[in-house]
Amino acid sequence: MPPASRPTFRFAPSPTGRLHLGHALSAILNAEEAREVAGRFLLRIENTDLTRCTPENEAGIYDDLLWLGLRWEEPVRRQSEHFADYGRALERLKAMGLIYPAFLSRGEVRWLIAEAEAAGEPWPRDPDGVPLYPGDERQMPEADRQARMNSGEPFAWRLDMQAALEQVGRPLFWTENSEGPSSETGQVAADPAAWGDVVLARKEFPASYTLAVVVDDALQGITHVVRGRDLFHATSVHRLLQVLLGLPEPTYHHHRLVLDDEGRKLSKSAGSPSLADLRATGKTPQDVRTMLGL
């Protein structure tokens, strides 16, 4: 890992679509905070999902950021070129006995949830409202696991949350330089258990966002993580993985989200106007900053 000799910030978009105003806010804040402290501003392309990430969208990211007047250090880290880094982290967790292969499909999990709720048993959900994984496979005999994996059955590597927390054996915190959804700031208590047995990799993907982001931040020497408030609670799991893998702890700044007229977070899936769309209507980079309240 590089020495943290200078404050280091990063903007890390995924090329599954064009950037919108929410991305612009995050990129500008990272670049400006880096400049204010004579730090470094890095760009990372988070493209582990090779089925959804395209070269055209990646080229659009560079184009949009240059149009905004932003510059970053080269070379750009592209996750698809560093799968071995994530594999080493996964193997380390595997050697610690902290991950297990999970074979239930999404449909099977939905069936279990429906069955439980029909019987009047509420199913636990994570802070984003997603049902937690059942986790019964933690107790599966090793021979059965190997047989199912060797047969080519699809599976995901999941973190054994209870075992991981026992391994750490102490409360976890992170330093928040902004405010969370409920005005949390300063030393914030992490609650990784609220997320259950999170996915760290799948058979077809070498790493989930959860694993890749902590590995990348460490290898790039990131000292300050500036990102949207929608990732505030997920920081709990990131801190857990940092401790388990012996990685440095950055400070965090979870900034406000850019919302549409109905109060929803901007997103590619919702068809939010992209920066390219705004540029096509004659908007300027200064117009974008004004729209963002900067």
Side-chain angles (χ1 to χ4, degrees):
M1 292 178 292
S5 55
R6 293 171 60 195
T8 304
F9 299 73
R10 49 73 165 174
F11 175 58
S14 179
T16 56
R18 294 300 294 261
L19 301 184
H20 53 60
L21 284 172
H23 295 114
L25 175 63
S26 194
I28 292 170
L29 289 178
N30 272 282
E32 291 189 346
E33 290 195 24
R35 183 170 60 250
E36 288 171 3
V37 296
R40 304 168 63 208
F41 174 54
L42 309 182
L43 175 62
R44 179 164 75 226
I45 300 298
E46 298 194 336
N47 63 339
T48 57
D49 186 346
L50 299 179
T51 62
R52 297 178 61 229
C53 299
T54 67
E56 294 77 14
N57 287 330
E58 183 174 336
I61 289 172
Y62 303 135
D63 190 35
D64 290 337
L65 295 179
L66 289 171
W67 176 69
L68 288 173
L70 303 183
R71 300 295 184 271
W72 53 88
E73 291 188 15
E74 296 285 353
V76 172
R77 181 176 175 90
R78 303 177 69 250
Q79 288 183 333
S80 60
E81 299 170 353
H82 299 278
F83 288 164
D85 292 332
Y86 315 130
R88 282 188 288 270
L90 197 68
E91 286 300 318
R92 182 170 179 181
L93 294 170
K94 190 185 302 182
M96 298 165 69
L98 298 181
I99 62 175
Y100 65 91
F103 298 96
L104 291 178
S105 68
R106 291 184 176 89
E108 290 170 326
V109 172
R110 285 195 296 268
W111 183 86
L112 289 172
I113 294 170
E115 188 178 53
E117 292 181 339
E121 301 173 8
W123 196 274
R125 284 168 162 74
D126 68 24
D128 286 342
V130 177
L132 300 189
Y133 190 75
D136 296 340
E137 294 149 312
R138 288 190 295 262
Q139 313 305 322
M140 183 181 296
E142 185 61 28
D144 292 348
R145 289 178 175 175
Q146 290 300 325
R148 295 180 69 170
M149 288 189 290
N150 292 340
S151 72
E153 184 175 349
F155 68 91
W157 288 109
R158 286 184 177 268
L159 181 68
D160 185 335
M161 182 60 71
Q162 181 177 349
L165 292 173
E166 291 174 355
Q167 174 81 17
V168 172
R170 59 180 173 85
L172 297 174
F173 301 86
W174 79 83
T175 302
E176 178 64 46
N177 288 336
S178 184
E179 289 187 349
S182 299
S183 301
E184 304 95 333
T185 190
Q187 287 295 105
V188 177
D191 183 17
W195 294 89
D197 293 354
V198 294
V199 171
L200 297 184
R202 296 188 183 277
K203 183 180 178 181
E204 66 275 21
F205 298 126
S208 66
Y209 166 79
T210 303
L211 179 62
V213 69
V214 297
V215 172
D216 287 336
D217 284 345
L219 290 176
Q220 291 191 285
I222 303 301
T223 60
H224 295 71
V225 174
V226 180
R227 61 190 182 189
R229 199 166 287 162
D230 53 329
L231 289 169
F232 179 85
H233 293 294
T235 307
S236 291
V237 181
H238 301 166
R239 282 294 298 126
L240 174 62
L241 290 175
Q242 287 161 357
V243 172
L244 291 172
L245 294 169
L247 304 179
E249 174 192 356
T251 60
Y252 290 87
H253 172 158
H254 291 92
H255 59 72
R256 60 184 170 87
L257 300 178
V258 181
L259 307 177
D260 63 17
D261 292 339
E262 297 181 7
R264 300 173 302 184
K265 185 186 76 167
L266 300 185
S267 69
K268 302 165 188 171
S269 60
S272 301
S274 67
L275 297 181
D277 294 332
L278 296 175
R279 191 180 349 174
T281 65
K283 299 294 185 184
T284 67
Q286 184 56 49
D287 291 330
V288 168
R289 288 175 175 267
T290 300
M291 295 169 70
L292 293 171
L294 297 175

